[in-house]
Amino acid sequence: MLVPIEKKGYDPFIDYLKGVCILFVVLTHCLPLQEYMLFSLWGAQAVPLFLLLQVFHAYKRGVNHISLSYDFKKLFHRIFKPFILLIVIQLILLIFLKQHSLITTIKSIILSGGIGPGSYYVWIYVQFFLILPLVAVAIQRIRGGYLLLIFIFVSVLFEVVFAYIHIPASLYRLLAIRYLFLIYLGY
């Protein structure tokens, strides 16, 4: 029997899901021969699940409770400050241990959004932080099947436009557009 996720107060199942996602992210980066285990079906979905949980947390009290005021100070302290600290530590290690060029490494960090394959997540998270209140306003005005059709149309439209203009893969990986439909699913 399925038990609904708690929409008021603390729900330990959410923490369990986050823990599973963290384990899957670690496995994504270190598990060999993933294609032989069908890992993309059961383990590679950690980032979309994290984003679904972000949408759930934003909307769990209802879209009418969402304000268009952003707490950038909280965002900086919870997201950017640890991210910048991690980048500085990685930069120091790359320069002193691996003898990388400072200028070349900084350019690479700027172009790729950070160091390492998971550095894109911070930028996706921030875009969701900015998008979710705006989408809440649309959700308040549009209901039912129309909302689903709009999300499908907008998601497909962005994919077609990006394919047509040949957006660079390094930029595409930093854009939340590919996860836009998850906002509807999380809602």
Side-chain angles (χ1 to χ4, degrees):
M1 180 161 97
L2 292 174
V3 178
I5 294 177
E6 192 64 41
K7 291 184 181 175
K8 293 181 182 174
Y10 173 72
D11 187 351
F13 184 68
I14 298 291
D15 286 342
Y16 172 77
L17 285 176
K18 289 178 186 176
V20 169
C21 288
I22 291 168
L23 175 65
F24 286 169
V25 166
V26 170
L27 289 175
T28 298
H29 295 293
C30 68
L31 192 64
L33 306 171
Q34 293 178 8
E35 63 274 8
Y36 298 111
M37 298 179 230
L38 300 175
F39 185 77
S40 61
L41 295 176
W42 60 269
Q45 306 308 316
V47 169
L49 187 53
F50 269 128
L51 293 171
L52 279 171
L53 291 173
Q54 182 183 358
V55 174
F56 171 77
H57 279 301
Y59 293 162
K60 75 179 182 179
R61 291 187 333 178
V63 291
N64 298 332
H65 291 82
I66 302 291
S67 72
L68 286 175
S69 63
Y70 296 102
D71 190 351
F72 289 109
K73 186 176 180 182
K74 184 177 178 181
L75 179 71
F76 175 78
H77 287 292
R78 293 184 72 189
I79 304 300
F80 278 118
K81 198 168 157 183
F83 184 62
I84 291 168
L85 178 65
L86 184 63
I87 286 177
V88 168
I89 291 169
Q90 290 173 317
L91 182 62
I92 290 169
L93 291 173
L94 285 173
I95 290 169
F96 291 110
L97 296 180
K98 297 272 189 165
Q99 303 296 317
H100 286 203
S101 162
L102 176 64
I103 302 300
T104 306
T105 306
I106 290 175
K107 281 183 188 176
S108 173
I109 290 170
I110 291 170
L111 292 174
S112 63
I115 300 174
S119 61
Y120 73 95
Y121 184 76
V122 170
W123 304 109
I124 303 290
Y125 182 92
V126 169
Q127 290 170 65
F128 262 55
F129 170 82
L130 297 171
I131 291 170
L132 288 176
L134 299 173
V135 172
V137 172
I139 290 172
Q140 291 172 12
R141 290 178 169 72
I142 306 165
R143 297 282 183 196
Y146 292 116
L147 188 61
L148 173 62
L149 290 175
I150 289 170
F151 267 94
I152 291 171
F153 176 76
V154 169
S155 296
V156 170
L157 178 68
F158 274 119
E159 292 298 326
V160 169
V161 167
F162 287 165
Y164 181 74
I165 64 173
H166 303 290
I167 189 168
S170 58
L171 176 60
Y172 182 74
R173 76 183 274 273
L174 298 175
L175 295 177
I177 298 304
R178 60 192 169 134
Y179 297 113
L180 195 62
F181 193 75
L182 292 176
I183 295 174
Y184 176 79
L185 296 178
Y187 166 70

